[in-house]
Amino acid sequence: MPKSRTSYLSRRGLIAAGGALGLVAALSACGGTDSAKGETGKDKDKGAAASGPWTFKDDLGKDISLKAAPKNIVAYTGTAAALYDYGVQVKGVFGPTKTADGKPDVQAGSMDISKVEILGNVYDEFNVEKYAALQPELLVTNTWDGTYWYVPEASKDKILKLAPAAAIGVGGDASLDKSLERTADLAKSLGADLNSKKTADAKARFEAAAAKVREATKANPGIKVLVGSGSADLFYASTPKTSADLKYFETLGVEFITPDKDKLDAGGFFESLSWENAGKYKADLVLLDNRTGTLQSQELKAKPTWAEMPAVKAGQVAPRVTEPIYSYEKCAQILEDLAKAIQNAKKVS
């Protein structure tokens, strides 16, 4: 899905930069964590990182085995933010972590970015020397297409030789609920207590928020939703079929506009529209990519075709968290915001 946030010409460039795009390779959300010996009953969700060997089967189907649970963990920023919500702290991160003014990027979530080593802040940036100095025991990231998200192709071999890597599926066959489960599995294996009040409350909030979306779509049927991302030259209309969040939203009753199949990019993820043709699809609600480096509503006002879109004229544009932080806490907020947007939308297309 990604490259730098300013490159929109390549498929990977767009995904990293700002479309709701997932990539095509089918991911099997397989396996789960193996519990530490002796873990039974009430203790099964209290984490398995205390002692003994550590094993995990990731969503690329790879079995990872270590003599003990890893302590020196380096992770993609969004994945690190999810682990942080479960109480798992990483040593270093790579991916959008801080903005130009030094503030936390949206993908850093609640994480204190002053307490992590930033190995790279943009796509294709990864300081291998700093990574080695951290003495990593495990690298964690997401996967959209069978590759390790934000691990640069040019230095991938060097990076992967330094420590085993685990990837959580967020594209292809993955769905948001499954990606959440798998991230929680990983956090548990690293010592997180999934029975903690904070985690239990967050999961209950997520389930309640999912019910709110179902209620909103039933109470306000027929609302057509377009998922898009803006750059200086192009507007990207995304299909809901290849990213975990949008696929899950469909199961809750959200009606997405799907771009013409024969107009999609080579991977089948999005349609690239010139700004002259950006109004091709008439929607009642637009979910606009919220990532740093993509154009937001205020910046898009200068685009006449954007201003003329029915949903835009009606003020029915909501941020789309293109790369969710896969913790129940963060995804509950996404669902709550989606429910409100659909509930308040009026039919204008």
Side-chain angles (χ1 to χ4, degrees):
M1 171 174 157
K3 198 174 177 180
S4 88
R5 295 191 177 270
T6 55
S7 169
Y8 289 81
L9 299 180
S10 71
R11 181 175 45 167
R12 285 181 64 81
L14 175 57
I15 299 172
L21 317 173
L23 289 178
V24 58
L27 302 171
S28 59
C30 42
T33 57
D34 291 333
S35 301
K37 287 184 178 181
E39 185 185 29
T40 58
K42 291 182 181 179
D43 294 331
K44 70 178 181 178
D45 287 332
K46 288 190 176 180
S51 62
W54 182 86
T55 62
F56 186 79
K57 187 168 186 175
D58 78 350
D59 290 347
L60 295 178
K62 295 187 177 182
D63 291 293
I64 304 163
S65 298
L66 297 172
K67 291 180 180 180
K71 300 298 182 185
N72 291 350
I73 303 167
V74 172
Y76 171 63
T77 301
T79 317
L83 292 175
Y84 181 88
D85 286 346
Y86 288 111
V88 178
Q89 179 71 51
V90 305
K91 299 286 187 180
V93 296
F94 55 96
T97 307
K98 63 180 179 180
T99 57
D101 59 4
K103 295 180 180 179
D105 188 275
V106 293
Q107 287 173 241
S110 303
M111 194 168 45
D112 183 348
I113 64 173
S114 71
K115 294 183 178 179
V116 294
E117 181 77 45
I118 300 174
L119 305 178
N121 199 52
V122 297
Y123 191 73
D124 262 349
E125 181 180 88
F126 193 117
N127 191 312
V128 181
E129 289 72 25
K130 284 186 178 180
Y131 179 56
L134 290 174
Q135 299 182 310
E137 298 172 275
L138 180 69
L139 181 146
V140 181
T141 186
N142 293 333
T143 183
W144 292 82
D145 62 346
T147 62
Y148 296 105
W149 187 233
Y150 264 75
V151 174
E153 187 65 28
S155 54
K156 176 186 68 176
D157 292 343
K158 291 181 181 179
I159 293 166
L160 297 180
K161 282 180 181 178
L162 293 170
I168 299 297
V170 298
D173 288 342
S175 181
L176 183 138
D177 52 343
K178 187 61 179 179
S179 299
L180 279 167
E181 289 175 10
R182 295 293 289 135
T183 303
D185 283 345
L186 177 61
K188 172 192 165 187
S189 78
L190 296 171
D193 180 1
L194 300 190
N195 283 329
S196 70
K197 185 178 188 304
K198 178 184 177 184
T199 297
D201 288 351
K203 189 170 184 180
R205 180 185 170 193
F206 174 83
E207 292 168 350
K212 289 178 182 177
V213 175
R214 288 192 188 93
E215 292 166 4
T217 58
K218 289 179 180 178
N220 196 10
I223 296 299
K224 302 296 183 181
V225 181
L226 177 65
V227 179
S229 183
S231 72
D233 300 320
L234 296 170
F235 179 75
Y236 300 95
S238 299
T239 173
K241 305 301 181 184
T242 52
S243 59
D245 58 333
L246 302 183
K247 287 174 67 175
Y248 181 69
F249 298 163
E250 280 194 313
T251 70
L252 302 180
V254 179
E255 297 180 42
F256 288 108
I257 292 173
T258 300
D260 294 336
K261 190 174 181 179
D262 60 350
K263 300 292 185 181
L264 297 177
D265 71 301
F269 314 116
F270 58 89
E271 179 178 357
S272 302
L273 298 167
S274 67
W275 278 110
E276 289 78 7
N277 298 309
K280 177 178 179 179
Y281 299 107
K282 310 301 180 186
D284 304 302
L285 174 65
V286 174
L287 297 183
L288 185 66
D289 189 347
N290 77 327
R291 287 181 292 178
T292 306
T294 64
L295 299 184
Q296 301 304 305
S297 293
Q298 191 66 28
E299 299 164 301
L300 290 174
K301 284 183 178 180
K303 307 289 187 183
T305 47
W306 168 260
E308 288 302 312
M309 289 183 183
V312 176
K313 290 176 75 172
Q316 296 178 175
V317 179
R320 188 267 172 126
V321 181
T322 304
E323 290 190 56
I325 292 169
Y326 286 96
S327 70
Y328 287 105
E329 176 184 327
K330 296 298 188 293
C331 288
Q333 185 66 59
I334 290 172
L335 290 178
E336 289 166 357
D337 292 342
L338 177 62
K340 289 178 183 177
I342 292 173
Q343 181 180 334
N344 294 334
K346 299 187 184 304
K347 191 73 179 169
V348 294
S349 63

